[in-house]
Amino acid sequence: MQVYDVEIGSRLWLGSARYPSPAILAEAVRGAGCDVVTVSLRRENAQAGAGQAFWALIRDLGVRVLPNTAGCHSVKEAVTTAQMAREVFDTGWIKLEVLGAGELLQPDVFGLVEAARLLSDDGFQVFPYTTADLGVAERLLDAGCRVLMPWGAPIGSGRGLADPFALRALRARFPDIPLVVDAGLGLPSHAAMAMELGFDAVLANTAVALAADPVRMARAFADAVCAGAAAHAAGPMPVRDFAEASTPVIGQAWRA
């Protein structure tokens, strides 16, 4: 897939938070063949130099780093965090999160569009964490985004694709825009379902990091993503309201 004119080989992206250890994170990334890893600025401290060992580990993996503005609840906070991340990680890529209040950590779509426009004007390549709303998607694209990351379900919920209809409509409305399902995936089957809908990639974090065996789960997600993408490319059969025999009755033996 092409994202901001960069070719990405893997359609499974991984978050880097909550793993039992940096070594297990590294093994999971390698096992999944992942090309993109999201990293929060909160893992780094530019002044004190804390977190440099973690940053060195990420660099050694040879992956593309996608810094995020996780935990930001205002436009100002998100923009400032993005600008700091560009300095720390030396990349213009930013996964933009502007969260609303409440337990669902739902994107604040009004603040998100405003922040996306400010960052795009500042030269960032913005990856917005958004809902699957078509109107919001239009405004994010108008703001300069060239990729969209709609949620499957609330962050860390593991509920899978809460609204497949909305995701299917988003894919149909924007056939040429890279779409990455972000947040809420709990099982490899959820990832496969997203790919079967025609999405370009999925981002998983909690489902892998908190598994009893994160490395095995990362590999399972990678297999599921490949299977789902292949199924979409193969062209799934249409859904019917009634049964249709798979064995033809013509030529079948019968007695009068």
Side-chain angles (χ1 to χ4, degrees):
M1 60 184 296
Q2 293 283 125
V3 181
Y4 286 108
D5 299 324
V6 175
E7 185 173 336
I8 304 297
S10 170
R11 295 182 184 270
L12 171 62
W13 302 0
L14 290 178
S16 59
R18 307 185 70 180
Y19 286 83
S21 71
I24 291 177
L25 164 62
E27 191 175 351
V29 170
R30 293 190 182 101
C34 178
D35 285 348
V36 177
V37 173
T38 64
V39 179
S40 172
L41 182 66
R42 286 165 176 79
R43 286 188 174 274
E44 294 289 336
N45 184 317
Q47 293 181 344
Q52 293 305 312
F54 176 83
W55 181 216
L57 179 146
I58 295 295
R59 285 200 308 267
D60 291 343
L61 288 172
V63 296
R64 187 107 189 172
V65 174
L66 177 59
N68 64 39
T69 62
C72 292
H73 291 268
S74 71
V75 173
K76 182 178 180 180
E77 185 182 12
V79 169
T80 301
T81 301
Q83 291 169 339
M84 294 172 62
R86 179 165 59 182
E87 296 300 319
V88 173
F89 298 110
D90 191 27
T91 178
W93 280 22
I94 191 72
K95 182 192 168 205
L96 179 61
E97 296 183 23
V98 182
L99 303 178
E103 298 178 351
L104 295 182
L105 300 178
Q106 179 169 334
D108 171 4
V109 295
F110 301 102
L112 181 68
V113 171
E114 182 181 350
R117 188 176 303 279
L118 291 171
L119 291 172
S120 295
D121 290 345
D122 192 25
F124 282 89
Q125 292 83 49
V126 181
F127 295 68
Y129 164 63
T130 182
T131 62
D133 184 276
L134 296 179
V136 175
E138 290 275 13
R139 284 159 177 77
L140 286 169
L141 295 174
D142 289 343
C145 299
R146 291 169 57 189
V147 59
L148 299 173
M149 300 185 71
W151 68 348
I155 294 171
S157 67
R159 300 184 66 85
L161 305 186
D163 193 347
F165 173 81
L167 292 172
R168 188 179 295 110
L170 192 68
R171 178 72 288 175
R173 177 65 182 84
F174 304 105
D176 300 321
I177 299 297
L179 299 179
V180 182
V181 171
D182 176 19
L185 303 184
L187 294 169
S189 57
H190 299 157
M193 184 180 298
M195 300 304 293
E196 288 168 0
L197 291 177
F199 280 74
D200 297 284
V202 300
L203 172 59
N205 190 168
T206 308
V208 176
L210 297 189
D213 186 339
V215 177
R216 179 173 291 182
M217 185 61 78
R219 292 171 179 158
F221 263 86
D223 290 342
V225 166
C226 289
H232 176 73
M237 64 170 284
V239 177
R240 303 185 179 93
D241 292 328
F242 300 98
E244 180 175 309
S246 57
T247 303
V249 297
I250 298 176
Q252 183 177 355
W254 60 285
R255 293 182 63 183

